Amino acid sequence: MAEKVIKPNLSVVGKNQKEIIEIKNFQVWINENHILDDIQLSIPKNEITCIIGPSGSGKSTLIRSINRINDDVTGLNTQGEIIFNGLSINEKDVDVAQLRTQIGMVFQKPCVFPKSIKENVLFGIQHLKKLSKLEKLQIAEENLKAVSLWKEVSHRLNDKAISLSIGQQQRLCIARTLAVKPEVILLDEPTSSLDPVSTRAIEDMMVKLKENYTIVFVTHNIQQAKRIADNLVFICDGKLIEQGPASIIFSCSSNPQTKAYLRDEYCDC
Amino acid sequence: MNRKLQNNLFYASVGIAVFVCSLILLFLFGIIIWNGLPALSLDFLTNTSAEFGASGGIVYQIFGSILLIIFAALICLPIALGTAIYKSEYLKNDTVHKIINTLIYSLNGIPSVIFGIFGLIFFVNILNMGISWFVGSIILSMMILPTVTLSTYQSINSIPTVYRESSSALGLNKWQVIVQVLLPQGFSGAITGLLIGIARAIGETAPIMFIATAFSGVEFPSSFLEPVSTLPTHILALAQQATNPAALQNAWGASLVLVILVIIFSISALFIRLRHQTISKR
Ligand SMILES: Nc1ncnc2c1ncn2[C@@H]1O[C@H](COP(=O)(O)OP(=O)(O)O)[C@@H](O)[C@H]1O
Ligand SMILES: [Mg+2]
């Protein structure tokens, strides 16, 4: 008897915990162009969700809607809902800056500020709360270690961040996003301007980070998605073609468009 | 005509243009230095003038000119910064952009004597403020406002969008992005514009001669509402006594000092701009 009562409760709790972001009937127009068409998507917690699709298909537009960094694009209109932790993020009274501390983002090209390495790690967090000198050093060390940059830069934390290689700069950008302690990290083709070694380093890092973070990772590189994705989302021409566990889609997708894209990296939808 | 010849001809004509331009400049500087240098001495720089400038020095004039432009800069900078930030970061409407641009360019095109007349009518006659150096600073700040605003706007607006996005993605609100990211990177543009504006303003006679300066009997002002004497108005006064060789000599001396001040501001502007370019290229 007791078991019967507990079981359904557990599954309800389990389901609620699993999905951290729900995207419902989401549409985007830029000026008169229909960029995203009726996107339905759920993003599970503590997993890596890879969004793949040909260039121009709307991957960036979708991921940039999740932290509302698209707000400043002129002529952009949206319809539908994005729900994060039960909160509909496009409501008028949402504090966007606060939302972005919970949903961090890493961009395609690393963009470090004209400051030192340490100041770059602290750049976001120090505007959110007052930090002592010791705390600053601890935060810098903790997050640089999380992106495996600590060994390389610990002796020159006060050097200009611009003196790092592009791959190191991108890891620094991830570190400064982690320092804010978000729940979700959005990454928009973060390795597309990097060398293969840095790319692998970031892929390995993602797999470690998913223990504590939910990761949404846009890539146009199918092999990369194969290496890291728990879930796969395939977008083509503004439409969501297929979503589901990566292992299933890669091994036995029944959708002809997905199959064609995974085989030829090309699709005519 | 074959292309090679055409090319050489073109090269020769731009070469001649540069040569003529440099020659005129050198000629001007040469004459001012040649005539002004004999008048220059420590006494000339540190003494007050006597006999309507025919003897004595120009310490009040140097002081008056610098006072006017410092306050002009202080008045101009916040207005220029505000306009530039608003235009670059807040204003989305294209029509309003065009209207503001038109206003800025029109302001820039107004002849300087009109500013003087406006100051005379508005501040001196209507507001009854009397002849005052502070009114002169206000008028000069209006004159340099377009230069400073446009220069600041350009440097803020040319900061790549990724800086705005990267910082707002870290949870900074718009105000923090402006203060922490855009202003530090755009500030050199504001300072460059300010120095160029100042270099122009310090040599202006027409806008200040009716409202801010007196030709003789001035001392260090003890309030905002007193006249000063300035280098350009002093040179004008001395030139009117050109039959007196001593006055003419001092006019050349004062001109040389003025030109040196202008060159200092222009070169600092150039220096800051170059320095900033090398920083942003790195
Ligand atoms: N700021 C913009 N203005 C106009 N069109 C845009 C803008 N950003 C994106 N688009 C259009 O939206 C479509 C999707 O772009 P994007 O989301 O960047 O695709 P992806 O990241 O998959 O390459 C493209 O056709 C692109 O031209
Ligand atoms: Mg993209």
Side-chain angles (χ1 to χ4, degrees):
Chain A
M1 277 297 272
E3 245 192 335
K4 257 185 184 173
V5 182
I6 292 164
K7 243 185 180 170
N9 270 346
L10 260 182
S11 73
V12 168
V13 172
K15 185 156 172 41
N16 278 347
Q17 277 187 340
K18 192 114 173 84
E19 260 128 41
I20 189 164
I21 293 170
E22 278 278 349
I23 300 177
K24 292 181 182 167
N25 307 98
F26 192 69
Q27 319 229 17
V28 175
W29 290 264
I30 298 179
N31 302 321
E32 299 306 304
N33 301 326
H34 203 170
I35 308 290
L36 288 178
D37 187 5
D38 201 22
I39 304 288
Q40 311 275 354
L41 178 63
S42 53
I43 294 169
K45 201 170 170 157
N46 292 96
E47 290 184 5
I48 299 176
T49 301
C50 276
I51 302 178
I52 58 168
S55 93
S57 57
K59 306 181 295 295
S60 296
T61 307
L62 176 62
I63 198 174
R64 287 162 57 89
S65 301
I66 301 177
N67 68 344
R68 287 186 54 184
I69 204 83
N70 256 349
D71 281 13
D72 283 334
V73 174
T74 43
L76 182 133
N77 280 303
T78 67
Q79 219 179 65
E81 260 192 317
I82 297 180
I83 297 166
F84 166 66
N85 276 340
L87 169 90
S88 179
I89 65 160
N90 284 304
E91 296 292 319
K92 275 219 159 61
D93 56 351
V94 169
D95 178 349
V96 187
Q98 150 85 19
L99 175 77
R100 290 174 188 153
T101 64
Q102 294 170 290
I103 307 181
M105 181 167 228
V106 176
F107 297 83
Q108 185 163 352
K109 275 207 188 127
C111 164
V112 298
F113 299 107
K115 292 170 178 290
S116 73
I117 295 172
K118 189 170 107 197
E119 286 169 316
N120 263 278
V121 182
L122 298 167
F123 193 82
I125 185 69
Q126 72 188 357
H127 290 111
L128 303 172
K129 59 178 172 203
K130 209 116 199 73
L131 298 170
S132 71
K133 227 176 173 171
L134 184 67
E135 283 173 313
K136 283 184 180 172
L137 205 61
Q138 284 170 341
I139 292 174
E141 178 171 350
E142 180 191 328
N143 292 290
L144 286 170
K145 275 181 176 161
V147 297
S148 339
L149 206 53
W150 179 249
K151 276 207 193 99
E152 292 154 61
V153 303
S154 60
H155 58 286
R156 52 183 189 124
L157 290 176
N158 293 319
D159 283 11
K160 288 267 174 243
I162 206 82
S163 65
L164 298 171
S165 74
I166 296 291
Q168 289 173 321
Q169 284 183 30
Q170 188 64 304
R171 279 186 277 160
L172 182 61
C173 289
I174 299 176
R176 98 188 154 197
T177 304
L178 296 179
V180 179
K181 298 213 173 305
E183 292 174 50
V184 180
I185 305 173
L186 312 169
L187 302 102
D188 190 356
E189 305 198 20
T191 61
S192 64
S193 51
L194 306 190
D195 59 284
V197 176
S198 308
T199 300
R200 283 305 177 110
I202 286 181
E203 289 174 11
D204 294 344
M205 186 197 315
M206 290 301 121
V207 176
K208 272 186 221 141
L209 286 177
K210 73 177 176 185
E211 231 172 88
N212 300 311
Y213 303 89
T214 304
I215 290 167
V216 184
F217 195 105
V218 169
T219 176
H220 62 248
N221 180 337
I222 294 170
Q223 295 312 314
Q224 184 169 52
K226 220 172 222 166
R227 289 192 291 266
I228 61 172
D230 298 310
N231 305 286
L232 203 62
V233 176
F234 174 44
I235 293 187
C236 194
D237 196 25
K239 293 180 203 61
L240 196 151
I241 308 293
E242 193 173 3
Q243 63 171 311
S247 52
I248 295 178
I249 295 186
F250 276 122
S251 62
C252 49
S253 167
S254 56
N255 186 307
Q257 287 167 324
T258 314
K259 267 167 133 171
Y261 182 71
L262 291 181
R263 194 182 55 234
D264 307 331
E265 294 203 24
Y266 169 81
C267 82
D268 54 328
C269 26
Chain B
M1 211 188 312
N2 73 27
R3 289 170 55 118
K4 194 159 178 196
L5 186 65
Q6 213 173 5
N7 199 27
N8 287 341
L9 262 175
F10 180 72
Y11 185 73
S13 47
V14 287
I16 290 171
V18 170
F19 181 71
V20 170
C21 177
S22 320
L23 206 67
I24 293 173
L25 214 66
L26 275 178
F27 181 69
L28 254 170
F29 279 146
I31 289 211
I32 292 174
I33 292 171
W34 179 258
N35 289 297
L37 215 50
L40 228 53
S41 67
L42 196 62
D43 281 346
F44 186 65
L45 294 177
T46 54
N47 280 352
T48 61
S49 58
E51 297 174 56
F52 300 102
S55 67
I58 53 169
V59 64
Y60 284 151
Q61 284 74 20
I62 295 176
F63 175 81
S65 278
I66 291 179
L67 182 72
L68 275 177
I69 53 156
I70 285 180
F71 273 80
L74 289 178
I75 298 166
C76 175
L77 189 61
I79 303 174
L81 272 180
T83 313
I85 289 170
Y86 178 72
K87 210 161 129 27
S88 170
E89 304 305 313
Y90 289 94
L91 187 60
K92 292 271 161 71
N93 187 321
D94 264 352
T95 320
V96 182
H97 259 293
K98 280 186 192 134
I99 292 173
I100 293 184
N101 281 343
T102 311
L103 287 176
I104 292 176
Y105 286 117
S106 312
L107 190 62
N108 206 27
I110 293 177
S112 56
V113 67
I114 307 291
F115 280 100
I117 292 294
F118 166 76
L120 183 66
I121 293 171
F122 186 74
F123 290 104
V124 181
N125 290 354
I126 297 180
L127 296 185
N128 211 4
M129 289 171 78
I131 307 287
S132 121
W133 65 266
F134 190 64
V135 169
S137 288
I138 296 176
I139 293 293
L140 287 181
S141 76
M142 285 162 61
M143 273 188 55
I144 63 176
L145 189 59
T147 312
V148 186
T149 305
L150 288 178
S151 169
T152 311
Y153 170 77
Q154 265 164 15
S155 68
I156 291 179
N157 198 50
S158 66
I159 298 170
T161 316
V162 283
Y163 284 99
R164 295 178 182 79
E165 290 183 344
S166 297
S167 47
S168 34
L170 289 167
L172 275 71
N173 59 35
K174 189 149 190 163
W175 177 240
Q176 288 169 323
V177 172
I178 290 171
V179 173
Q180 305 289 338
V181 181
L182 302 183
L183 282 186
Q185 291 189 57
F187 203 64
S188 73
I191 299 299
T192 313
L194 208 55
L195 287 168
I196 293 171
I198 280 175
R200 177 185 163 200
I202 198 172
E204 286 289 349
T205 319
I208 55 173
M209 60 189 285
F210 313 124
I211 54 172
T213 62
F215 288 109
S216 64
V218 294
E219 292 178 9
F220 290 117
S222 55
S223 79
F224 280 82
L225 295 178
E226 286 167 36
V228 290
S229 185
T230 67
L231 287 169
T233 51
H234 189 62
I235 293 166
L236 182 70
L238 287 173
Q240 283 163 349
Q241 324 165 34
T243 45
N244 177 353
L248 196 61
Q249 172 83 334
N250 281 352
W252 283 115
S255 305
L256 180 58
V257 172
L258 183 58
V259 167
I260 290 172
L261 284 175
V262 171
I263 289 175
I264 289 176
F265 289 123
S266 306
I267 288 183
S268 327
L270 195 69
F271 182 74
I272 290 180
R273 176 157 288 178
L274 285 179
R275 215 176 84 103
H276 180 70
Q277 271 172 0
T278 50
I279 287 173
S280 52
K281 262 187 205 143
R282 249 192 282 151

